[in-house]
Amino acid sequence: SAVDTNTPAAEPPKSKSAPATTSTKAVKKKKAPKKDEKKSQQQFIDGYRAAHALIYRRHDFTAGIGKLKLLGRDDHPDVANLIGYSSRKLVRYDDAKLWYERALSADPKHARTWSYYGMWHAEQGNLLKARDFLATVEQLCGTKCREYTELKGVIEGTRVY
């Protein structure tokens, strides 16, 4: 998954698999992405990058959320996580919680979301839960990754994020 980058990760595979069929029809081969699909993916990446810049460089969280929602990819873990982060920065804690949970539903191994959601818990005064999330982040990416060190700093009170 993307680690605080301005490029979203590729979509995780859908967790629901298609039911097996006993049909004797030949299985169709997947076609290469059409030009429109490539254009659509590039528009998504460009839109995500623009929202990312609004949020992390300009700290315009409200505009960033609007731009992310316009992408129409709310279930993408990077999008949902960034909306959650922006909501938390706007002190919209209930919204942030919903978006973090949406991101984790899309990708349960999204270390950045576990880290940000742990920060959310720390800000709520629930350091025990934040430490649980820190342990999850450690399992996902170790103790040297940015997600771990940032959340650990928030829990220890040496960092605000």
Side-chain angles (χ1 to χ4, degrees):
S1 46
V3 179
D4 204 10
T5 68
N6 67 354
T7 304
E11 299 248 11
K14 299 292 181 200
S15 58
K16 295 177 184 173
S17 57
T21 59
T22 56
S23 171
T24 56
K25 290 182 182 178
V27 177
K28 291 183 181 178
K29 288 185 179 179
K30 271 193 167 181
K31 296 178 183 175
K34 295 179 182 167
K35 252 187 182 176
D36 289 347
E37 289 175 18
K38 284 184 180 179
K39 182 180 176 186
S40 173
Q41 180 65 13
Q42 189 58 51
Q43 286 172 335
F44 168 65
I45 291 169
D46 292 346
Y48 181 88
R49 286 178 174 161
H52 188 277
L54 282 170
I55 292 164
Y56 286 110
R57 289 194 200 132
R58 299 187 55 205
H59 305 285
D60 190 344
F61 305 111
T62 303
I65 289 171
K67 195 137 192 86
L68 287 166
K69 287 185 175 181
L70 283 174
L71 296 175
R73 303 280 280 278
D74 291 358
D75 288 327
H76 189 289
D78 291 324
V79 171
N81 179 58
L82 209 43
I83 294 173
Y85 169 81
S86 298
S87 298
R88 179 168 59 89
K89 290 299 185 180
L90 291 168
V91 195
R92 297 179 189 162
Y93 290 116
D94 290 341
D95 287 348
K97 180 181 181 189
L98 292 173
W99 285 103
Y100 289 145
E101 289 176 357
R102 192 169 190 166
L104 291 174
S105 174
D107 181 2
K109 294 181 178 180
H110 200 260
R112 174 62 55 188
T113 301
W114 282 106
S115 180
Y116 281 0
Y117 200 7
M119 292 175 197
W120 179 93
H121 283 290
E123 288 176 16
Q124 303 295 305
N126 191 347
L127 293 179
L128 194 61
K129 192 71 167 173
R131 284 188 189 99
D132 287 345
F133 280 46
L134 182 65
T136 300
V137 172
E138 182 179 357
Q139 289 173 355
L140 293 172
C141 63
T143 59
K144 304 243 186 278
C145 66
R146 186 175 185 172
E147 291 85 350
Y148 182 88
T149 59
E150 288 176 353
L151 177 53
K152 187 172 191 254
V154 167
I155 290 169
E156 293 173 347
T158 59
R159 174 176 216 133
V160 176
Y161 200 82

